[in-house]
Amino acid sequence: MWRPFMGRPTEAHVSLAALTHNCRQAGALVGKNVRVVAVVKADGYGHGAVAAARAFLRGGAALLGVSSLAEALELRAAGLDAPVIVLGGLFAGEAAEAVGHDVAAAAWTRETVDALAAAARATGRPARVHVKLDTGMTRLGLDVGDVVEFGRLVRATPGVEIAGVFSHLASADDVARAAVQAQIERFRDAVAALRAAGVPPGLVHLANSAALLSAPAAHFDAVRPGIMLYGYAPASHLAHRAALRPAMQLVTRLIQVRRVPAGRAVGYGGTWVASRPSVIGVLPIGYADGYHRLVSNRAAVVVRGRRAPIAGRVCMDHVMVDLTDVPGAAEGDRVALIGGDGGAAVWADELAAWCETIPYEMLTAVGRRVPRVYGEDFDA
């Protein structure tokens, strides 16, 4: 059960059961011979990295993926000893801490290898790298034509081990595209070249959520799901591939309810004007909490099992909603900005559509001044 209303009522309720369920769904889709690297970067997509990591490990994840060393160290500080990969690589001066905390890191430059080798000598512990290949994303990584030379360099460097080889797909939500198939083939050929050169590649991983759901040829030794673990398909046409459960509800309560006459303007700039005698409610949440200003006059929230539209511009700390068609709405009523109540719901993918963006951004935008409250499941 969630804690009762006390103090500022704006909270993000996170279902640990939903997180675990989604991870088990990922594991079931790839089978027992393919490991799951649960991606918990960006504070677990806004859900809380440590809590999410524990839920995913309970759901069968074998490894955890983060973007930065700081994110990896947060997991270690919380007592999590599962294998962790820093997918974004290391910055200057971070090698010693990575090795000291037994954190593997992406690598694609000689400088990183040399720094890790020095850290391995200093600590007496092996440094583990996952060789990052750029197969078409044109972001971070090693050109595939250089993989054999780089693999030989790493293998010849005392104290440094190749723990894996990986790349990232740019458009995996549409596996029929020639560009996606080309990336898979480039990656497969690069791994084969390493093996032919006598360089064991370690754990081979390519698939993100989209490829996990739609491209078995991209599964290899492990998959790296992100958004699907938090309850959302990476594209609407993939939603039927797994029974995912959104794991976060963003909720608050009405702090003022007032009647206004027809013609009354609401909010900054008066962009919403009552076309009839109306009931306006005020919510203690705003764009400083990650509820985007772009949803002004577009989105809806859920109150007493009904949708209520946003009235006027989202403020830094407050949002006004039109409660005219919500009978009995009163101060103290629970309001879901992401989530549901009484059969009605607004989830992050719909909110993202109003903002002309993606659900990833909606979830990760929820600010740190919004407390995360954990339970096994939602109370609504």
Side-chain angles (χ1 to χ4, degrees):
M1 294 293 294
W2 309 109
R3 71 176 176 83
F5 164 49
M6 295 177 62
R8 184 180 185 239
T10 301
E11 299 174 332
H13 291 177
V14 178
S15 166
L16 301 175
L19 294 172
T20 297
H21 164 84
N22 295 334
C23 193
R24 286 177 177 150
Q25 285 282 296
L29 285 168
V30 298
K32 63 181 181 180
N33 294 324
V34 177
R35 284 185 268 184
V36 172
V37 181
V39 178
V40 294
K41 65 180 181 176
D43 196 30
Y45 284 47
H47 294 65
V50 171
R54 288 186 174 131
F56 297 147
L57 292 170
R58 185 175 70 176
L63 304 91
L64 302 169
V66 296
S67 180
S68 68
L69 179 63
E71 292 177 334
L73 296 182
E74 180 186 3
L75 301 179
R76 289 289 186 253
L80 292 168
D81 58 4
V84 178
I85 310 169
V86 179
L87 300 168
L90 301 175
F91 294 101
E94 292 186 334
E97 279 200 290
V99 175
H101 288 88
D102 192 23
V103 171
W108 58 90
T109 68
R110 185 183 194 104
E111 290 77 11
T112 297
V113 174
D114 290 344
L116 287 167
R121 288 193 300 271
T123 62
R125 305 180 68 172
R128 298 181 178 87
V129 302
H130 286 246
V131 177
K132 175 68 180 288
L133 303 179
D134 178 16
T135 56
M137 180 72 176
T138 315
R139 196 169 63 179
L140 297 175
L142 184 74
D143 287 343
V144 292
D146 298 328
V147 67
V148 170
E149 180 183 357
F150 189 77
R152 285 171 172 161
L153 165 69
V154 177
R155 196 171 189 213
T157 302
V160 183
E161 303 173 357
I162 295 179
V165 176
F166 76 109
S167 188
H168 189 62
L169 294 167
S171 304
D173 56 315
D174 185 3
V175 294
R177 289 181 58 181
V180 177
Q181 295 302 317
Q183 276 197 264
I184 295 172
E185 289 303 315
R186 285 190 206 105
F187 183 67
R188 182 182 288 113
D189 290 346
V191 172
L194 274 178
R195 288 194 172 109
V199 181
L203 193 72
V204 178
H205 48 110
L206 175 63
N208 53 11
S209 292
L212 188 159
L213 291 169
S214 62
H219 290 176
F220 294 98
D221 298 332
V223 293
R224 298 190 312 274
I227 192 65
M228 70 175 291
L229 297 181
Y230 303 95
Y232 295 89
S236 58
H237 67 274
L238 298 176
H240 69 284
R241 302 288 180 94
L244 303 176
R245 292 164 50 189
M248 179 194 289
Q249 293 205 40
L250 179 61
V251 299
T252 189
R253 292 179 184 269
L254 290 166
I255 58 171
Q256 185 178 27
V257 176
R258 61 194 301 180
R259 296 184 178 277
V260 301
R264 174 70 63 87
V266 172
Y268 287 118
T271 60
W272 189 94
V273 178
S275 61
R276 56 179 173 166
S278 300
V279 179
I280 299 298
V282 181
L283 309 177
I285 187 172
Y287 58 75
D289 300 295
Y291 192 70
H292 285 262
R293 193 168 181 267
L294 281 171
V295 305
S296 301
N297 297 308
R298 295 184 181 184
V301 301
V302 178
V303 186
R304 294 197 170 204
R306 298 196 181 198
R307 288 188 171 217
I310 301 298
R313 288 179 178 157
V314 172
C315 310
M316 183 180 289
D317 306 300
H318 298 96
V319 173
M320 286 72 77
V321 295
D322 180 6
L323 299 170
T324 311
D325 295 324
V326 184
E331 293 176 13
D333 281 354
R334 180 185 186 273
V335 180
L337 297 98
I338 299 175
D341 177 61
V346 172
W347 295 109
D349 46 1
E350 186 175 12
L351 192 62
W354 282 315
C355 290
E356 301 177 18
T357 186
I358 53 179
Y360 307 66
E361 185 177 357
M362 297 294 98
L363 298 172
T364 59
V366 178
R368 284 190 176 268
R369 79 175 187 176
V370 178
R372 272 58 172 177
V373 180
Y374 297 98
E376 279 305 301
D377 227 329
F378 299 132
D379 59 353

